[in-house]
Amino acid sequence: MVHAERVSRRANGAPALRVLAVVGELSPAVTGGGPSRTVLALAQALRLAGNDVRVLTTDADGRGTIHVPAAREVNGVLVHTARRWFARPWVLGALHVAPGMAGNLVRAIRWADVVVVHGVWVFTAVAASACASLLRRPYVLMPHGSLEETSVAEKWAKKRWAMPLVRTMVRGARAVQFSSETERQRSRAWVPGDKGQVIPNPVAVDGPLAQPGHLGKHGRGGRNTARCWGVVGRLHPRKGLDLLLIALSRVEGEWTLTLVGPSEGNYRAMLEEQTRALGLTERVNFFGPVAPDDMPRVYADLDALLVPSRGESFGNTVIEALAQGTPVIAAETVPAAAAAVEFGAGVIVRGGADAWTEALRAEIRSPTVVDRERVRELTVRSFGSRAIGASYSGLLRSIVTDWQARNARR
């Protein structure tokens, strides 16, 4: 009961939770893709719900590093950043090993009422879950798709050694939070029963709609007459970009495609070779990674976001595009695409390259026209920080209440 008495209180008298989030990579890192932005958006959502939130992370950005202060504040959220060891070789660097985090981790977990652990196959997740268990604090796992069957199968030989640790982490978690029902179903081999909870990822929306212009001549801001399509995210075999390029090679009319995001290994070079072989060099632009703060202008520069992924746990880029009123054309394997259709700003493609060819030809003939402000309003209402913050805060509060009740009976 001593622990319960030290919980702070909000202005309305309800107890405010002390929430610690632990993650290997965090914005402004760009290599980690959507999860590195999701963590901050979720932290800010929980803060708007009246909770005290802190984040522990490393300076990792894929094979590189970000250069930020060891302690900084981001929109009211205190972020502590530890230096990652072993950036080389990459097999160790990818694990986000950061022994310097240990002291802050122990202090922060003692401070927290509940810990949110992001990812599973990395040092930060193993350390945070183990430390939370030792210090008797409840924790929630957010795997960000990494417990799905296809994800576990990737690099299986390297993950095999960690499987007993990950199963222990899952058993010890009070809940495993998935961003979609699809992710939960694909992770049933690891998270059976009712431990899995579904709450979609939030989108951080501040200020008015962004203005186009970041992509220069490749975007709407450059005012070329072609349809400006884009793909945002890591260049990775799972993203279906090879099928998209085949489909585009059959699409007549004026269009351009811009690929925004870092590459997984040498996959960009493979796509560039395919682009040359298909005769699309003049139409396809490899833009590279973009800083998180510039992403709204990227989406505003697109006539439509294309998401041909072979499988997503959620599809953060869909919601980010909708938040800027940008239409979305997405594969049926992207759960968030349903929201685009519901808001009147999306098309779901069911099938491979042939289906994509027909969908894009239809877009050339009759471009999707949307009320950007209305689409943004609907997106914020369903996926904005306040809506998701309230739902997630409720889940964490129930976990803490149950945890304290169990401890009181001992």
Side-chain angles (χ1 to χ4, degrees):
M1 298 301 292
V2 174
H3 177 59
E5 292 172 359
R6 69 173 177 81
V7 176
S8 58
R9 306 189 77 82
R10 293 184 292 187
N12 64 4
L17 295 177
R18 297 180 179 183
V19 183
L20 173 67
V22 183
V23 63
E25 291 188 23
L26 188 72
S27 178
V30 296
T31 305
S36 64
R37 299 194 300 275
T38 297
V39 175
L40 267 185
L42 183 56
Q44 291 162 12
L46 287 169
R47 177 181 166 275
L48 286 175
N51 302 296
D52 192 355
V53 187
R54 298 180 184 178
V55 178
L56 291 187
T57 186
T58 78
D59 61 357
D61 185 7
R63 296 175 184 267
T65 59
I66 58 173
H67 301 285
V68 296
R72 58 192 169 110
E73 188 174 292
V74 182
N75 294 334
V77 175
L78 184 62
V79 178
H80 287 279
T81 303
R83 184 173 66 86
R84 175 186 59 174
W85 288 13
F86 309 119
R88 298 290 188 276
W90 176 234
V91 68
L92 293 177
L95 299 177
H96 302 145
V97 178
M101 180 185 286
N104 278 335
L105 185 62
V106 171
R107 287 189 293 272
I109 289 179
R110 284 175 172 163
W111 163 87
D113 298 307
V114 61
V115 181
V116 181
V117 180
H118 294 270
V120 292
W121 304 102
V122 289
F123 166 83
T124 50
V126 174
S129 58
C131 193
S133 296
L134 288 172
L135 296 176
R136 301 183 60 79
R137 293 291 186 273
Y139 66 91
V140 176
L141 280 182
M142 282 190 68
H144 297 284
S146 57
L147 290 180
E148 293 185 16
E149 294 175 359
T150 53
S151 179
V152 173
E154 290 178 358
K155 303 177 182 176
W156 183 85
K158 295 179 181 178
K159 293 177 179 177
R160 180 174 54 183
W161 67 269
M163 287 186 178
L165 289 174
V166 173
R167 291 196 183 280
T168 299
M169 289 166 56
V170 172
R171 283 196 300 269
R174 304 307 301 171
V176 179
Q177 192 252 304
F178 299 114
S179 56
S180 68
E181 181 60 31
T182 299
E183 183 188 2
R184 176 161 67 174
Q185 292 301 321
R186 292 173 180 166
S187 306
R188 282 182 299 177
W190 288 82
V191 190
D194 59 358
K195 180 172 284 192
Q197 302 291 320
V198 177
I199 299 176
N201 293 335
V203 57
V205 182
D206 298 305
L209 283 169
Q211 295 301 309
H214 190 79
L215 297 179
K217 67 179 182 179
H218 304 288
R220 291 195 308 121
R223 271 303 16 116
N224 64 59
T225 58
R227 300 297 295 167
C228 299
W229 295 329
V231 175
V232 175
R234 286 185 306 149
L235 307 185
H236 185 282
R238 287 185 64 186
K239 300 300 182 178
L241 301 176
D242 53 335
L243 295 180
L244 179 63
L245 290 175
I246 292 172
L248 284 168
S249 69
R250 307 167 183 165
V251 177
E252 305 80 12
E254 295 187 66
W255 58 265
T256 63
L257 176 71
T258 300
L259 302 176
V260 178
S263 175
E264 180 83 5
N266 66 344
Y267 194 58
R268 171 171 171 167
M270 296 171 63
L271 292 175
E272 289 175 330
E273 177 57 35
Q274 183 183 9
T275 299
R276 286 191 291 271
L278 293 171
L280 299 177
T281 305
E282 298 301 317
R283 292 177 178 243
V284 177
N285 169 45
F286 290 83
F287 197 83
V290 170
D293 289 346
D294 292 325
M295 288 307 303
R297 295 185 65 206
V298 169
Y299 290 115
D301 245 336
L302 302 177
D303 289 305
L305 175 75
L306 310 185
V307 191
S309 179
R310 292 182 168 92
E312 294 285 341
S313 58
F314 181 63
N316 290 341
T317 58
V318 171
I319 305 304
E320 292 172 352
L322 294 175
Q324 295 303 323
T326 299
V328 176
I329 304 174
E332 61 183 331
T333 53
V334 181
V341 174
E342 179 184 346
F343 300 161
V347 173
I348 293 179
V349 181
R350 306 181 190 280
D354 291 344
W356 273 93
T357 298
E358 291 307 311
L360 295 174
R361 284 174 175 169
E363 183 67 15
I364 289 287
R365 291 192 302 267
S366 179
T368 302
V369 179
V370 300
D371 181 337
R372 293 183 67 202
E373 290 284 2
R374 177 180 175 276
V375 172
R376 176 188 175 91
E377 179 183 345
L378 292 171
T379 304
V380 171
R381 190 182 303 167
S382 297
F383 299 98
S385 296
R386 294 191 183 277
I388 302 303
S391 298
Y392 202 57
S393 185
L395 170 64
L396 297 182
R397 188 175 305 282
S398 67
I399 288 171
V400 170
T401 299
D402 178 69
W403 182 264
Q404 292 173 349
R406 288 170 179 264
N407 287 341
R409 291 195 296 267
R410 291 178 178 175

